[in-house]
Amino acid sequence: MKGILLCGILLFSSSVLAQNREVFGGIFPEAAVTVKFAKFYSSTFKIESIHQLVVDRDAERPNWRYQHESTEFQFFVGYKVSPLSDFSVAYIFAVDGDGPNTHGLTEQLGVVQLLPYFKLGHRFRFDQTFFPKGEGPARLRVRYRLAMDLPLEGLEIDPNEFFLLVSDEVLVDWRDGRSDLENRFVAQLGYKFDKWGKLQGGLDYRIDRLFETGLRQRFWLKFSYFVTLK
Protein backbone atom coordinates (compact mmCIF):
# COMPACT_ATOMS: atom_id res chain seq x y z
CA MET A 1 0.00 0.00 0.00
CA LYS A 2 2.84 2.43 0.82
CA GLY A 3 4.39 1.89 -2.61
CA ILE A 4 1.13 2.62 -4.43
CA LEU A 5 0.52 5.80 -2.46
CA LEU A 6 4.06 7.07 -2.89
CA CYS A 7 4.07 6.46 -6.66
CA GLY A 8 0.82 8.37 -6.96
CA ILE A 9 2.21 11.27 -4.96
CA LEU A 10 5.36 11.53 -7.08
CA LEU A 11 3.43 11.28 -10.34
CA PHE A 12 0.81 13.92 -9.64
CA SER A 13 2.91 16.37 -7.64
CA SER A 14 5.94 16.66 -9.92
CA SER A 15 4.49 19.66 -11.77
CA VAL A 16 4.14 21.73 -8.59
CA LEU A 17 7.38 21.01 -6.75
CA ALA A 18 8.43 24.63 -7.02
CA GLN A 19 5.29 25.85 -5.30
CA ASN A 20 4.23 25.85 -1.68
CA ARG A 21 2.00 22.82 -1.49
CA GLU A 22 0.88 19.90 0.63
CA VAL A 23 0.35 16.32 -0.50
CA PHE A 24 -1.58 13.77 1.55
CA GLY A 25 -2.36 10.10 1.01
CA GLY A 26 -4.39 7.43 2.77
CA ILE A 27 -7.45 5.20 2.62
CA PHE A 28 -11.11 6.10 2.14
CA PRO A 29 -13.69 3.39 2.91
CA GLU A 30 -17.39 4.11 2.44
CA ALA A 31 -20.64 2.14 2.58
CA ALA A 32 -24.28 2.95 1.91
CA VAL A 33 -27.64 1.24 2.24
CA THR A 34 -30.61 2.49 0.21
CA VAL A 35 -34.16 1.44 1.02
CA LYS A 36 -36.97 2.08 -1.46
CA PHE A 37 -40.43 2.72 -0.04
CA ALA A 38 -43.80 3.84 -1.41
CA LYS A 39 -43.62 4.24 -5.19
CA PHE A 40 -41.29 7.15 -5.75
CA TYR A 41 -39.43 7.55 -2.45
CA SER A 42 -36.21 6.16 -1.01
CA SER A 43 -33.90 6.70 1.96
CA THR A 44 -30.14 6.22 2.09
CA PHE A 45 -27.82 5.93 5.06
CA LYS A 46 -24.15 6.37 4.19
CA ILE A 47 -20.89 6.36 6.17
CA GLU A 48 -17.61 7.54 4.69
CA SER A 49 -14.35 7.74 6.64
CA ILE A 50 -10.99 9.20 5.53
CA HIS A 51 -7.72 8.11 7.17
CA GLN A 52 -4.41 9.82 6.39
CA LEU A 53 -1.30 7.63 6.20
CA VAL A 54 1.32 9.88 4.58
CA VAL A 55 2.00 13.63 4.26
CA ASP A 56 4.58 15.53 2.18
CA ARG A 57 5.02 19.30 2.54
CA ASP A 58 7.11 21.45 0.17
CA ALA A 59 9.09 18.58 -1.36
CA GLU A 60 10.21 17.27 2.01
CA ARG A 61 10.68 13.58 2.62
CA PRO A 62 7.25 11.89 2.93
CA ASN A 63 6.26 11.42 6.55
CA TRP A 64 4.39 8.18 7.22
CA ARG A 65 1.94 8.59 10.08
CA TYR A 66 -1.67 7.77 10.82
CA GLN A 67 -4.26 10.47 11.38
CA HIS A 68 -8.03 10.32 11.28
CA GLU A 69 -9.09 13.04 8.85
CA SER A 70 -12.88 12.85 9.00
CA THR A 71 -15.91 10.57 9.22
CA GLU A 72 -19.31 11.56 7.85
CA PHE A 73 -22.74 10.13 8.66
CA GLN A 74 -25.19 11.00 5.90
CA PHE A 75 -28.94 10.45 5.74
CA PHE A 76 -30.73 11.12 2.43
CA VAL A 77 -34.42 11.12 1.54
CA GLY A 78 -35.02 10.96 -2.20
CA TYR A 79 -37.92 11.41 -4.60
CA LYS A 80 -38.00 9.88 -8.09
CA VAL A 81 -38.91 12.76 -10.38
CA SER A 82 -38.82 10.62 -13.54
CA PRO A 83 -37.30 7.27 -14.62
CA LEU A 84 -34.00 9.07 -15.26
CA SER A 85 -33.93 11.78 -12.59
CA ASP A 86 -34.33 12.16 -8.84
CA PHE A 87 -34.17 14.84 -6.17
CA SER A 88 -33.00 14.32 -2.60
CA VAL A 89 -32.16 16.20 0.58
CA ALA A 90 -29.75 15.09 3.28
CA TYR A 91 -28.61 15.76 6.82
CA ILE A 92 -24.88 15.24 7.42
CA PHE A 93 -22.96 14.99 10.69
CA ALA A 94 -19.18 15.11 10.31
CA VAL A 95 -16.59 14.10 12.90
CA ASP A 96 -13.40 16.03 12.11
CA GLY A 97 -10.11 14.51 13.18
CA ASP A 98 -8.41 17.90 13.54
CA GLY A 99 -11.16 20.42 14.18
CA PRO A 100 -14.74 20.95 15.35
CA ASN A 101 -17.50 18.52 14.47
CA THR A 102 -20.05 19.97 12.06
CA HIS A 103 -23.64 19.60 10.91
CA GLY A 104 -24.78 20.11 7.35
CA LEU A 105 -27.60 20.02 4.82
CA THR A 106 -27.44 18.97 1.16
CA GLU A 107 -29.88 19.40 -1.71
CA GLN A 108 -29.19 17.21 -4.74
CA LEU A 109 -30.54 16.68 -8.26
CA GLY A 110 -29.39 13.65 -10.22
CA VAL A 111 -29.96 13.05 -13.94
CA VAL A 112 -29.01 9.89 -15.86
CA GLN A 113 -28.16 10.01 -19.55
CA LEU A 114 -28.32 6.68 -21.39
CA LEU A 115 -25.87 6.36 -24.28
CA PRO A 116 -24.77 3.40 -26.42
CA TYR A 117 -22.34 1.20 -24.47
CA PHE A 118 -22.27 3.31 -21.28
CA LYS A 119 -24.25 5.55 -18.95
CA LEU A 120 -23.57 9.13 -17.85
CA GLY A 121 -24.72 10.56 -14.54
CA HIS A 122 -25.03 14.28 -13.86
CA ARG A 123 -25.22 15.36 -10.20
CA PHE A 124 -25.90 18.91 -9.02
CA ARG A 125 -25.47 19.67 -5.31
CA PHE A 126 -25.83 22.67 -3.04
CA ASP A 127 -24.71 22.13 0.55
CA GLN A 128 -24.39 24.12 3.75
CA THR A 129 -22.04 23.25 6.61
CA PHE A 130 -22.68 24.72 10.07
CA PHE A 131 -19.89 25.09 12.63
CA PRO A 132 -20.18 25.28 16.43
CA LYS A 133 -20.77 28.66 18.05
CA GLY A 134 -17.62 30.73 17.99
CA GLU A 135 -16.12 28.84 15.02
CA GLY A 136 -17.29 31.29 12.37
CA PRO A 137 -20.04 31.41 9.72
CA ALA A 138 -21.46 28.55 7.66
CA ARG A 139 -19.69 27.26 4.55
CA LEU A 140 -21.67 27.15 1.31
CA ARG A 141 -20.72 24.94 -1.63
CA VAL A 142 -21.99 24.47 -5.19
CA ARG A 143 -20.99 21.16 -6.78
CA TYR A 144 -21.31 19.45 -10.17
CA ARG A 145 -20.22 15.88 -10.85
CA LEU A 146 -20.10 14.00 -14.16
CA ALA A 147 -19.80 10.22 -13.80
CA MET A 148 -19.55 7.39 -16.34
CA ASP A 149 -20.48 3.76 -15.72
CA LEU A 150 -18.80 1.54 -18.32
CA PRO A 151 -19.61 -2.21 -18.46
CA LEU A 152 -16.59 -4.42 -19.09
CA GLU A 153 -18.66 -7.43 -20.16
CA GLY A 154 -21.42 -6.86 -22.70
CA LEU A 155 -23.49 -3.73 -23.21
CA GLU A 156 -25.01 -3.42 -19.72
CA ILE A 157 -23.84 -3.89 -16.14
CA ASP A 158 -25.42 -7.20 -15.17
CA PRO A 159 -25.12 -9.25 -11.96
CA ASN A 160 -21.77 -11.03 -11.47
CA GLU A 161 -19.97 -8.71 -13.89
CA PHE A 162 -17.22 -6.09 -13.64
CA PHE A 163 -17.54 -2.43 -14.60
CA LEU A 164 -15.51 0.78 -14.57
CA LEU A 165 -16.62 3.98 -12.83
CA VAL A 166 -14.95 7.29 -13.70
CA SER A 167 -16.12 10.64 -12.33
CA ASP A 168 -14.99 14.23 -12.03
CA GLU A 169 -16.52 16.78 -9.66
CA VAL A 170 -15.97 20.53 -9.43
CA LEU A 171 -16.73 22.31 -6.13
CA VAL A 172 -16.85 26.04 -5.44
CA ASP A 173 -17.19 27.07 -1.80
CA TRP A 174 -17.64 30.31 0.12
CA ARG A 175 -17.00 31.02 3.77
CA ASP A 176 -16.46 34.25 5.67
CA GLY A 177 -15.98 36.30 2.51
CA ARG A 178 -13.44 33.88 0.99
CA SER A 179 -13.89 31.44 -1.89
CA ASP A 180 -12.04 28.36 -3.11
CA LEU A 181 -12.15 25.90 -5.98
CA GLU A 182 -11.68 22.14 -5.66
CA ASN A 183 -11.62 19.29 -8.17
CA ARG A 184 -12.20 15.62 -7.36
CA PHE A 185 -11.36 12.81 -9.79
CA VAL A 186 -12.35 9.21 -9.04
CA ALA A 187 -11.55 6.03 -10.99
CA GLN A 188 -12.78 2.70 -9.60
CA LEU A 189 -13.11 -0.88 -10.75
CA GLY A 190 -16.44 -2.30 -9.65
CA TYR A 191 -18.16 -5.66 -9.37
CA LYS A 192 -21.91 -6.14 -9.22
CA PHE A 193 -22.64 -9.13 -7.01
CA ASP A 194 -26.32 -9.32 -7.76
CA LYS A 195 -29.18 -7.02 -8.58
CA TRP A 196 -28.88 -5.10 -5.29
CA GLY A 197 -25.20 -4.96 -4.28
CA LYS A 198 -21.89 -3.75 -5.71
CA LEU A 199 -18.29 -3.31 -4.57
CA GLN A 200 -15.86 -0.72 -5.97
CA GLY A 201 -12.19 0.08 -5.42
CA GLY A 202 -9.74 2.57 -6.87
CA LEU A 203 -8.26 6.08 -6.62
CA ASP A 204 -9.85 9.30 -5.33
CA TYR A 205 -7.64 12.29 -6.25
CA ARG A 206 -8.49 15.76 -4.91
CA ILE A 207 -6.82 19.12 -5.51
CA ASP A 208 -7.92 22.33 -3.81
CA ARG A 209 -6.77 25.70 -2.42
CA LEU A 210 -6.49 26.85 -6.03
CA PHE A 211 -7.40 30.40 -5.00
CA GLU A 212 -5.07 30.38 -1.98
CA THR A 213 -1.36 30.13 -1.25
CA GLY A 214 -0.40 26.53 -0.63
CA LEU A 215 -1.82 24.08 -3.15
CA ARG A 216 -3.17 20.90 -1.54
CA GLN A 217 -3.38 17.47 -3.20
CA ARG A 218 -4.93 14.40 -1.61
CA PHE A 219 -4.75 10.80 -2.85
CA TRP A 220 -7.09 8.28 -1.29
CA LEU A 221 -7.37 4.56 -1.96
CA LYS A 222 -11.15 4.42 -2.06
CA PHE A 223 -13.22 1.31 -1.30
CA SER A 224 -17.00 1.48 -1.67
CA TYR A 225 -19.86 -0.91 -0.96
CA PHE A 226 -23.44 -0.09 -1.88
CA VAL A 227 -26.62 -2.05 -1.20
CA THR A 228 -30.15 -1.26 -2.43
CA LEU A 229 -33.17 -2.88 -0.77
CA LYS A 230 -36.81 -2.77 -1.77
Side-chain angles (χ1 to χ4, degrees):
M1 181 180 293
K2 289 185 177 181
I4 295 175
L5 287 170
L6 185 56
C7 288
I9 290 171
L10 294 175
L11 176 65
F12 284 92
S13 63
S14 60
S15 63
V16 293
L17 288 177
Q19 306 178 28
N20 294 325
R21 55 92 178 114
E22 296 180 327
V23 182
F24 299 89
I27 58 174
F28 184 165
E30 64 176 0
V33 177
T34 298
V35 179
K36 296 181 179 180
F37 59 93
K39 185 176 181 180
F40 301 106
Y41 294 91
S42 65
S43 62
T44 299
F45 178 68
K46 182 179 181 182
I47 300 176
E48 56 180 49
S49 189
I50 302 178
H51 304 268
Q52 176 188 303
L53 299 179
V54 61
V55 59
D56 181 11
R57 290 185 171 92
D58 299 328
E60 297 177 355
R61 183 177 180 179
N63 181 19
W64 294 94
R65 66 176 186 183
Y66 171 78
Q67 180 177 323
H68 169 239
E69 175 137 326
S70 65
T71 297
E72 288 191 357
F73 302 89
Q74 308 174 4
F75 180 72
F76 287 83
V77 176
Y79 174 74
K80 196 76 171 176
V81 179
S82 73
L84 296 178
S85 62
D86 61 83
F87 176 78
S88 59
V89 295
Y91 166 76
I92 299 173
F93 176 67
V95 178
D96 197 310
D98 192 29
N101 300 336
T102 60
H103 301 265
L105 298 174
T106 294
E107 300 81 43
Q108 171 181 303
L109 175 64
V111 179
V112 175
Q113 185 179 1
L114 299 179
L115 298 173
Y117 309 114
F118 64 92
K119 178 174 65 176
L120 287 179
H122 305 269
R123 190 180 73 184
F124 305 86
R125 274 187 175 181
F126 180 56
D127 60 46
Q128 310 87 45
T129 301
F130 305 100
F131 296 83
K133 186 176 181 180
E135 296 290 339
R139 181 180 68 189
L140 307 178
R141 294 194 301 186
V142 175
R143 308 165 57 170
Y144 168 71
R145 187 188 74 172
L146 176 65
M148 179 183 70
D149 290 330
L150 179 65
L152 298 181
E153 304 175 54
L155 301 180
E156 296 182 357
I157 302 175
D158 297 314
N160 303 312
E161 291 186 354
F162 288 93
F163 63 93
L164 181 66
L165 170 68
V166 179
S167 70
D168 191 75
E169 183 175 24
V170 178
L171 303 86
V172 181
D173 71 60
W174 297 269
R175 189 185 181 205
D176 198 17
R178 303 174 63 182
S179 61
D180 192 19
L181 177 66
E182 179 179 353
N183 192 84
R184 298 178 178 179
F185 174 79
V186 176
Q188 290 183 297
L189 177 66
Y191 183 80
K192 189 172 183 179
F193 290 103
D194 51 39
K195 190 175 181 180
W196 309 115
K198 57 184 178 180
L199 180 68
Q200 300 166 191
L203 175 69
D204 183 312
Y205 168 62
R206 304 181 177 188
I207 181 169
D208 64 347
R209 297 179 181 171
L210 299 177
F211 295 162
E212 302 178 7
T213 301
L215 189 70
R216 181 171 64 170
Q217 299 178 87
R218 291 172 288 174
F219 300 82
W220 309 118
L221 289 177
K222 190 172 188 178
F223 303 97
S224 312
Y225 183 63
F226 303 108
V227 177
T228 301
L229 305 173
K230 284 188 175 180

